[in-house]
Amino acid sequence: MNSFRLFACLALLGGASCSEPVPENSIPLSGASPHLLLLVGDQDEQDEDFITILNVDPASEQRGQPLGSTPIGYKASMVHHMEYEAPPKGEPIFMNGHHHEMTFIVDISDPNAPVIANTFGAPSPLRFPHDYARTAQGTRLVGFLRSSGESPDPNETTNPGDHGGIAEYSMTGELIRTATAEAPGYAKAIRPYSFAQLPEMDRITVTSAPMMEQSWAEVVQIYRYSDFELLHTLDLKVGVDHAGNPVEGLNGASFGQHVLDDGSVFLNSYGCNFYHLSAIDSDKPQLDLVYSLPTDPAKNPTQIRGACGVPLLIGQYWVQPIGKKQQVVVLDISNPKSPKEVFRLDTPEGFAPHWMGKDPVGNRLIMGAELGGEQGFYMLRFDESTGRIEFDSEFADYTSDSLLNVFRSKSPGYISLDRKAWPHGATGPAWGHAAVFFDAG
């Protein structure tokens, strides 16, 4: 038993038992970044939301503890996405507070004192920034879910606005250019979500998914990067059951995507269908439905089944969190036309996995939640030779102020945001959605 576990076990003496220790890991670490960046919300919304950096060095007895934290200047911002990977050292990282439509550009060079270097709002008529992608030139692509005006869908009762669009910004936040996602013939708004970049083809692909909207177009778009011209808007095919029969309503919003070695793109829908996009630089790109995960039907037409969230591509393996099933599924997509499930991890009750991030120098993953469980994150280990995942037992909710009770819960891998105090002050428990590994160096 290492010293950290021994300390936790000693804390239980005088009424509790150490007879059920957190299990040791069977997947060895292949390396580890020491820092984890979070944008978190104040749980009771009485204090400002904030940026915090956690110590996740597996050799440190302070792992899971915050090193520094900085308020963002807004309360109840609905903290949401940031870039999926940390940028090169010396560059800031982009992230957003959804309700205030604000993008924060954050300097993370000092893990003890993250600094908001700049902020910007949405460029009219675009609204609600969501996703960010760093280009090879160091600029950032930004997707905007809406624009000002009426929804093109007359049945949309919440009036969330017109078609969204995309933009490109300099590293320091200067707007370079924008483009609308509007395409002829679509009666529902296209809501740009994630980016995949193919610079050798001069192409970017953009998915379309809602955030809080009730109407959206089920499409994937292809733009020419050099002039931001929209070239193609492709419809998602409806999902199928295991007998190959179409099941209406199961396409469910194109979502996460990754570029494969052959220059094609693999993507999931939020409704847990999987698509392969090929011939991207041709006049007739091909979007094929290649797999559907069975999930429970949606309860009403404004909801999407499954909640397949932000995926990872690690070698030949597609790591897919499924919020409504409280599971993570690993698919072997070495043949992207015929994915095969190789592993399935159940997450603890009440934790609906959504965000997956990979340690760039090792085999650890960080898992965030939505729709339940946002009060903490789980550290995982990934076997890159088999696709197997397990909870990282070096983390077991040691960040909580009530160590005695939490250790009894036996939560290997858990990093709690249930704290009375943070480096910037005693603002109480927090919640989070996205996280990124990095090394400040």
Side-chain angles (χ1 to χ4, degrees), residues 38 47 96 135 150 168 208 210 260 277 301 329 364 379 439:
L38 309 177
D47 295 285
N96 74 62
T135 70
E150 298 288 328
E168 186 171 17
S208 169
L260 305 184
L277 177 59
V329 169
R364 295 189 304 178
M379 188 75 74
D439 182 355

Side-chain angles (χ1 to χ4, degrees), residues 364-434:
R364 295 189 304 178
L365 313 179
I366 192 70
M367 178 171 65
E370 70 164 356
L371 307 174
E374 296 95 331
Q375 295 75 29
F377 289 78
Y378 276 94
M379 188 75 74
L380 309 173
R381 295 188 186 185
F382 183 74
D383 187 331
E384 299 185 21
S385 63
T386 66
R388 188 166 62 89
I389 301 175
E390 66 183 15
F391 293 96
D392 189 341
S393 62
E394 294 301 321
F395 294 82
D397 203 13
Y398 296 120
T399 63
S400 175
D401 294 299
S402 54
L403 178 60
L404 177 63
N405 293 330
V406 171
F407 194 74
R408 283 176 176 164
S409 73
K410 304 296 187 299
S411 299
Y414 194 59
I415 301 175
S416 175
L417 302 180
D418 182 9
R419 303 181 59 88
K420 292 180 181 177
W422 299 86
H424 69 277
T427 58
W431 66 276
H433 184 76

Side-chain angles (χ1 to χ4, degrees), residues 301-325:
T302 66
Q303 295 182 337
I304 305 174
R305 71 183 184 104
C308 278
V310 176
L312 286 172
L313 177 63
I314 306 174
Q316 70 198 59
Y317 297 114
W318 185 271
V319 182
Q320 182 65 63
I322 312 174
K324 292 182 181 178
K325 291 188 74 69

Side-chain angles (χ1 to χ4, degrees), residues 138-441:
T139 60
R140 302 304 196 272
L141 300 173
V142 184
F144 291 87
L145 295 172
R146 313 180 190 175
S147 63
S148 301
E150 298 288 328
S151 170
D153 183 354
N155 297 316
E156 174 56 74
T157 58
T158 59
N159 190 28
D162 207 343
H163 298 276
I166 63 173
E168 186 171 17
Y169 283 82
S170 73
M171 185 193 312
T172 53
E174 289 79 25
L175 179 63
I176 299 171
R177 53 184 174 165
T178 65
T180 179
E182 182 176 3
Y186 284 89
K188 293 186 177 182
I190 298 170
R191 308 207 177 279
Y193 193 86
S194 70
F195 295 90
Q197 301 180 65
L198 300 110
E200 67 285 352
M201 300 180 190
D202 192 22
R203 298 289 188 271
I204 54 177
T205 65
V206 185
T207 56
S208 169
M211 171 68 179
M212 305 183 76
E213 300 81 7
Q214 294 181 345
S215 175
W216 62 91
E218 304 276 17
V219 299
V220 176
Q221 296 187 307
I222 300 174
Y223 292 78
R224 187 164 50 225
Y225 170 72
S226 57
D227 60 6
F228 259 32
E229 182 178 349
L230 175 60
L231 301 176
H232 304 282
T233 300
L234 308 173
D235 295 314
L236 297 188
K237 295 178 181 177
V238 173
V240 297
D241 62 21
H242 285 295
N245 302 309
V247 182
E248 292 298 329
L250 299 191
N251 37 356
S254 57
F255 211 74
Q257 53 180 333
H258 289 284
V259 178
L260 305 184
D261 290 341
D262 64 359
S264 62
V265 169
F266 195 86
L267 62 128
N268 67 283
S269 74
Y270 194 68
C272 297
N273 291 313
F274 297 83
Y275 300 86
H276 183 234
L277 177 59
S278 57
I280 295 171
D281 59 347
S282 74
D283 293 334
K284 294 183 178 181
Q286 183 70 32
L287 180 64
D288 296 309
L289 172 71
V290 295
Y291 194 74
S292 296
L293 278 169
T295 66
D296 294 334
K299 294 181 179 179
N300 64 63
T302 66
Q303 295 182 337
I304 305 174
R305 71 183 184 104
C308 278
V310 176
L312 286 172
L313 177 63
I314 306 174
Q316 70 198 59
Y317 297 114
W318 185 271
V319 182
Q320 182 65 63
I322 312 174
K324 292 182 181 178
K325 291 188 74 69
Q326 298 184 28
Q327 293 179 327
V328 179
V329 169
V330 181
L331 302 177
D332 182 340
I333 63 166
S334 51
N335 177 1
K337 299 292 188 185
S338 182
K340 300 184 185 308
E341 181 177 329
V342 296
F343 190 78
R344 189 173 290 228
L345 177 76
D346 292 321
T347 61
E349 183 177 356
F351 188 92
H354 175 76
W355 176 280
M356 301 294 293
K358 184 181 182 300
D359 189 331
V361 299
N363 63 335
R364 295 189 304 178
L365 313 179
I366 192 70
M367 178 171 65
E370 70 164 356
L371 307 174
E374 296 95 331
Q375 295 75 29
F377 289 78
Y378 276 94
M379 188 75 74
L380 309 173
R381 295 188 186 185
F382 183 74
D383 187 331
E384 299 185 21
S385 63
T386 66
R388 188 166 62 89
I389 301 175
E390 66 183 15
F391 293 96
D392 189 341
S393 62
E394 294 301 321
F395 294 82
D397 203 13
Y398 296 120
T399 63
S400 175
D401 294 299
S402 54
L403 178 60
L404 177 63
N405 293 330
V406 171
F407 194 74
R408 283 176 176 164
S409 73
K410 304 296 187 299
S411 299
Y414 194 59
I415 301 175
S416 175
L417 302 180
D418 182 9
R419 303 181 59 88
K420 292 180 181 177
W422 299 86
H424 69 277
T427 58
W431 66 276
H433 184 76
V436 169
F437 290 99
F438 74 104
D439 182 355

